[in-house]
C-alpha cells in the first residue's frame, strides 16, 4: 500500500513540477525563464588576454576576480540582459594564459561593445627611477611597478582644487580613495620611498609624477593636469572600476539572433525526438517496465528542467547535448534493473522478491557507471573552457538526477503495480524482447 501511496504523491509532485516548467515560460514577467547562452540567444562574444606578469603568483586569482568584477560593472551600464563575464586559464603553446570572457546576449554591434569596454581605464602607480647613461651627461627616467593599481580603488570623485583667493580658476582634479588593502599598500610605498617621485599612469599615459613628501596613511591621492571635461569623464569611468591588470582583445565573435534561434530549435527537437525514440524502444522491448521507465524519464526531464531554472543554469548548445546524453544514462540504469528483475523471475522468485533482488544486484553496476560519468563531468568542468563547462555541468546534474529517478521513482512505480503471483501473463508483461 505504501508504494501505491508513494506513487500517487510522486505523480502529483511531478505534475506540479511540470506545470512550473511550462507556466514559467509562458509569462514574460516570470523570473524563472530558461537562461539562454550566447549561441542560443545570439549576441557578441569578446575574449581578452590579461597580462598578469607584474602580479605575484599568489595574487593572480584575486587580480582576475577583481578584473571580472570591474568589467561586470561596466557591462551592466549597457543595460544588457543577463550578460556573462567570467575568467578562465587557457593553455597555450608556451604555457598558460589568463583570459576574460565577456558574453553579451542581444548585442550584435561588436565595435560598439569593444568601444564601451575599452573605456574601462587601467590605473597604475609606478616609482620613477633616473638612470645615468654612458658619459653621465644623459639622464633617462624609468618607472617601476609598485603593485598599487586600480584593483585597490574604492572611489573616484571630480573635485576642484582650492584656488587662489584672487578669483583664479580652480583646477579640476580627480580625487582617488583606496580601499583598506590599498590604503595599507599606499602607506607602505610612501613611507619607504620618501623624496622619490611616484608617477600615476592611466592607460599607460603618465598623468603626473609628484614627489613623495610624507607618508600618506589616509589612502587618498589626486590626479591633476586635466580639463574639466576630462576630469569628469575620468572620475565617472574610474567610479565604475579601474582595470587591475592590462587586457588585450584577442577574439571577437558575433552570433546573429537567427542563427541562435536555429540552434535553439534544433537542440529542442533533438531532445524531443530522443525522448520519443527512447520511450518507444523501452515500451516495445521491455513492455510494462518500459511504460514505467517512460514515466520515470518524463519525471526526470521535468526535475532537471526545473533545476535548470531554479539554480539557474545558462543553457548553451553543448549544455543541451549534455542533458540529452544524461537521458541515455538514465535509460541505461533502468535497463540494468529490468534485466536483473527478468533473471530473478526466471529463477523462480515471486514478483516482489524479484524486484527487490533485481534492484539490489543492479545497484553496483549503476553506481560504478554513474560514478565514472560524474568523475568525467567534474574533470571537464574544472579543466576546460566555458563552452565545455556548460556541457559538463548539465551532464553532472543529469546523472545525479537520473540515479535518483531510476533507483527511487522507478522502483516505487514497479512495487506499486507488482502482482503477488507470477502468472504467464505477468511473465510476459515483465519479459523483454521477442520472448513470451
Amino acid at each position: 500500500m505504501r508504494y501505491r501511496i508513494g506513487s500517487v504523491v510522486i505523480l502529483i509532485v511531478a505534475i506540479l513540477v511540470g506545470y512550473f516548467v511550462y507556466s514559467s515560460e509562458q509569462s514574460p514577467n516570470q523570473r524563472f525563464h530558461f537562461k539562454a547562452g550566447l549561441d542560443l540567444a545570439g549576441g557578441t562574444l569578446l575574449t581578452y588576454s590579461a597580462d598578469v606578469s607584474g602580479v605575484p603568483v599568489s595574487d593572480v586569482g584575486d587580480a582576475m576576480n577583481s578584473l571580472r568584477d570591474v568589467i561586470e560593472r561596466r557591462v551592466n551600464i549597457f543595460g544588457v540582459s543577463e550578460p556573462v563575464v567570467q575568467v578562465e586559464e587557457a593553455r597555450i603553446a608556451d604555457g598558460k594564459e589568463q583570459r576574460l570572457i565577456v558574453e553579451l546576449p542581444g548585442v550584435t554591434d561588436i565595435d560598439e561593445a569593444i568601444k564601451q569596454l575599452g573605456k574601462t581605464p587601467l590605473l597604475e602607480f609606478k616609482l620613477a627611477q633616473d638612470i645615468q647613461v654612458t658619459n653621465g651627461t644623459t639622464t633617462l627616467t624609468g618607472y617601476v611597478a609598485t603593485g598599487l593599481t586600480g584593483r585597490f580603488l574604492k572611489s573616484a570623485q571630480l573635485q576642484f582644487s582650492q584656488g587662489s583667493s584672487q578669483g583664479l580658476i580652480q583646477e579640476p582634479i580627480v580625487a582617488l580613495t583606496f580601499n583598506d588593502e590599498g590604503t595599507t599598500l599606499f602607506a607602505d610605498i610612501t613611507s619607504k620611498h620618501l623624496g622619490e617621485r611616484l608617477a600615476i599612469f592611466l592607460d599607460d599615459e603618465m598623468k603626473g609624477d609628484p614627489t613623495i613628501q610624507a607618508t600618506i596613511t589616509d589612502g587618498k591621492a589626486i590626479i591633476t593636469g586635466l580639463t574639466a571635461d576630462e576630469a569628469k569623464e575620468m572620475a565617472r569611468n574610474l567610479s565604475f572600476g579601474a582595470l587591475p591588470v592590462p587586457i588585450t582583445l584577442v577574439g571577437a565573435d558575433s552570433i546573429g539572433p537567427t542563427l541562435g534561434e536555429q540552434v535553439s530549435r534544433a537542440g529542442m527537437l533533438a531532445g524531443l525526438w530522443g525522448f520519443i525514440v527512447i520511450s518507444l524502444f523501452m515500451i516495445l522491448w521491455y513492455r510494462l517496465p518500459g511504460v514505467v521507465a517512460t514515466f520515470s524519464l518524463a519525471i526526470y526531464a521535468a526535475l532537471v528542467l526545473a533545476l535548470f531554472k531554479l539554480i539557474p543554469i545558462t543553457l548553451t548548445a553543448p549544455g543541451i547535448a549534455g542533458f540529452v546524453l544524461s537521458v541515455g544514462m538514465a535509460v541505461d540504469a533502468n535497463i540494468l534493473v529490468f534485466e536483473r528483475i527478468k533473471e530473478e523471475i526466471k529463477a523462480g522468485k515471486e514478483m516482489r522478491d524479484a524486484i527487490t533482488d533485481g534492484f539490489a544486484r543492479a545497484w553496483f553496476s549503476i553506481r560504478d557507471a554513474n560514478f565514472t560519468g560524474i568523475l568525467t563531468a567534474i574533470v571537464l568542468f574544472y579543466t576546460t573552457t566555458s563552452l565545455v563547462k556548460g556541457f559538463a555541468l548539465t551532464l553532472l546534474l543529469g546523472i545525479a538526477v537520473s540515479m535518483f529517478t531510476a533507483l527511487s521513482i522507478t522502483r516505487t512505480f514497479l512495487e506499486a503495480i507488482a502482482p503477488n503471483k507470477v502468472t504467464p501473463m505477468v511473465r510476459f508483461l515483465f519479459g523483454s524482447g521477442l520472448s513470451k
Side-chain angles (χ1 to χ4, degrees):
M1 178 59 73
R2 64 189 177 97
Y3 285 111
R4 292 179 180 175
I5 295 175
S7 297
V8 172
V9 171
I10 290 173
L11 287 174
I12 293 173
V13 172
I15 290 172
L16 292 176
V17 172
Y19 177 75
F20 163 73
V21 173
Y22 172 78
S23 62
S24 58
E25 283 302 296
Q26 303 307 308
S27 173
N29 298 323
Q30 258 283 356
R31 55 179 289 206
F32 294 112
H33 278 280
F34 284 122
K35 292 191 174 183
L38 199 65
D39 53 349
L40 301 183
T44 296
L45 171 66
L46 302 177
T47 305
Y48 291 89
S49 172
D51 180 6
V52 294
S53 58
V55 180
V57 175
S58 59
D59 292 340
V60 168
D62 289 340
M64 291 304 295
N65 289 335
S66 177
L67 173 64
R68 181 197 57 207
D69 294 342
V70 168
I71 294 300
E72 273 185 344
R73 285 197 293 271
R74 169 65 63 175
V75 169
N76 288 334
I77 301 171
F78 303 168
V80 177
S81 175
E82 299 175 1
V84 176
V85 182
Q86 55 190 337
V87 297
E88 68 177 26
E89 187 176 77
R91 296 184 183 277
I92 56 178
D94 55 347
K96 298 179 180 178
E97 183 179 69
Q98 298 294 329
R99 288 186 173 177
L100 179 76
I101 311 297
V102 183
E103 297 182 4
L104 304 172
V107 176
T108 55
D109 189 340
I110 293 182
D111 294 335
E112 181 62 22
I114 294 173
K115 180 181 176 183
Q116 289 295 329
L117 287 180
K119 288 184 178 179
T120 308
L122 171 63
L123 178 65
E124 298 173 289
F125 287 75
K126 298 181 180 180
L127 284 169
Q129 290 187 343
D130 293 334
I131 304 171
Q132 296 291 332
V133 297
T134 59
N135 57 7
T137 59
T138 304
T139 301
L140 295 179
T141 301
Y143 296 95
V144 180
T146 61
L148 186 62
T149 67
R151 170 187 167 195
F152 303 102
L153 190 63
K154 181 179 180 181
S155 66
Q157 292 181 321
L158 169 64
Q159 295 180 358
F160 290 89
S161 62
Q162 295 300 318
S164 164
S165 59
Q166 303 301 318
L168 296 178
I169 298 176
Q170 296 177 323
E171 181 184 10
I173 61 175
V174 177
L176 307 177
T177 302
F178 295 106
N179 59 20
D180 292 342
E181 192 177 358
T183 298
T184 302
L185 182 57
F186 196 33
D188 184 59
I189 294 170
T190 53
S191 66
K192 292 180 178 176
H193 300 279
L194 284 171
E196 298 181 29
R197 286 176 293 152
L198 183 63
I200 303 173
F201 282 83
L202 202 64
D203 292 333
D204 291 329
E205 181 181 348
M206 190 176 69
K207 295 298 182 182
D209 58 345
T211 301
I212 301 173
Q213 303 288 350
T215 301
I216 302 175
T217 58
D218 61 357
K220 294 183 178 179
I222 60 172
I223 300 176
T224 60
L226 305 168
T227 66
D229 289 340
E230 289 174 339
K232 181 179 178 182
E233 182 177 1
M234 183 182 299
R236 184 190 62 195
N237 288 333
L238 286 173
S239 295
F240 293 134
L243 296 177
V245 293
I247 58 174
T248 305
L249 183 67
V250 295
D253 297 294
S254 177
I255 300 174
T258 303
L259 178 60
E261 186 178 346
Q262 291 174 349
V263 173
S264 179
R265 188 184 300 114
M268 287 190 291
L269 283 176
L272 181 61
W273 277 110
F275 180 81
I276 292 174
V277 171
I278 288 173
S279 298
L280 286 175
F281 168 76
M282 293 297 292
I283 292 172
L284 293 175
W285 194 261
Y286 287 101
R287 303 164 193 171
L288 189 56
V291 175
V292 171
T294 300
F295 274 102
S296 292
L297 281 179
I299 295 172
Y300 156 80
L303 288 175
V304 173
L305 292 176
L307 288 175
F308 285 171
K309 287 171 172 282
L310 293 173
I311 290 178
I313 290 178
T314 301
L315 287 178
T316 61
I320 293 176
F323 170 56
V324 174
L325 182 59
S326 69
V327 172
M329 299 194 71
V331 174
D332 185 54
N334 282 290
I335 289 175
L336 286 172
V337 170
F338 297 160
E339 290 294 336
R340 282 291 185 182
I341 292 175
K342 187 176 69 175
E343 291 176 4
E344 299 299 327
I345 294 174
K346 285 183 178 178
K349 293 185 179 179
E350 293 297 329
M351 197 65 228
R352 294 191 184 282
D353 293 336
I355 292 175
T356 301
D357 292 343
F359 272 95
R361 294 187 177 183
W363 157 245
F364 297 103
S365 299
I366 295 172
R367 180 198 62 187
D368 294 345
N370 284 275
F371 183 66
T372 53
I374 289 173
L375 281 180
T376 303
I378 292 174
V379 171
L380 284 175
F381 185 81
Y382 283 104
T383 61
T384 55
T385 61
S386 57
L387 285 177
V388 184
K389 285 181 190 293
F391 170 82
L393 185 59
T394 55
L395 179 62
L396 177 64
L397 193 61
I399 292 174
V401 177
S402 74
M403 286 184 67
F404 169 73
T405 56
L407 297 175
S408 300
I409 295 179
T410 300
R411 179 170 184 169
T412 302
F413 285 157
L414 284 177
E415 294 275 10
I417 64 173
N420 293 324
K421 294 183 178 180
V422 179
T423 63
M425 177 58 71
V426 170
R427 196 180 296 278
F428 170 78
L429 290 176
F430 281 84
S432 66
L434 302 178
S435 62
K436 294 182 179 179

